[in-house]
Amino acid sequence: MIDEVTVVHKGGLVLWKHSYSKVKGNPVSQLIKTVILEDRTGDGCFTHDTYKVEWLLENELELIFVVVYQHLLALNYISDLLDALKGAFVARYNDALVGRSFLNN
């Protein structure tokens, strides 16, 4: 089961987030601090405490699509989910993303 889905700008601004259950700590923040800022983005997956964090980068728009779930689970559909999330989010908010109007609010 998925615990949290988040869309973050590389600058750290959370653009969209939905939690399906209470998440202990902040695994998305840890992902940004220990993986994204250190430019260790090659794996696409990160373990923090009891969570597995998988992400997909959209370099042109500087977005990070993140899914958090219990690391004991084997969820084989996460990469497909991230691709679908990226496609839907970019299609829906393309004008704001390209114009970067979300950074002015």
Side-chain angles (χ1 to χ4, degrees), residues 1 3 21-22 50-52 68-75:
M1 168 159 54
D3 294 312
S21 64
K22 180 112 171 102
T50 62
Y51 299 105
K52 188 166 188 180
V68 178
Y69 60 96
Q70 296 294 319
H71 75 85
L72 296 175
L73 301 175
L75 302 180

Side-chain angles (χ1 to χ4, degrees), residues 22-33:
K22 180 112 171 102
V23 175
K24 295 178 191 171
N26 194 339
V28 175
S29 179
Q30 287 301 313
L31 166 72
I32 292 169
K33 288 178 187 175

Side-chain angles (χ1 to χ4, degrees), residues 7 56-58 61 63 65 79-94 97:
V7 180
L56 178 65
L57 297 175
E58 172 30 87
L61 298 171
L63 300 177
F65 298 88
S79 62
D80 293 335
L81 175 67
L82 285 167
D83 285 334
L85 174 62
K86 175 183 162 185
F89 191 85
V90 170
R92 168 109 186 195
Y93 299 107
N94 189 52
L97 294 169

Side-chain angles (χ1 to χ4, degrees), residues 32-46:
I32 292 169
K33 288 178 187 175
T34 60
V35 177
I36 304 299
L37 291 179
E38 293 181 13
D39 203 24
R40 299 182 345 200
T41 58
D43 294 341
C45 130
F46 166 72

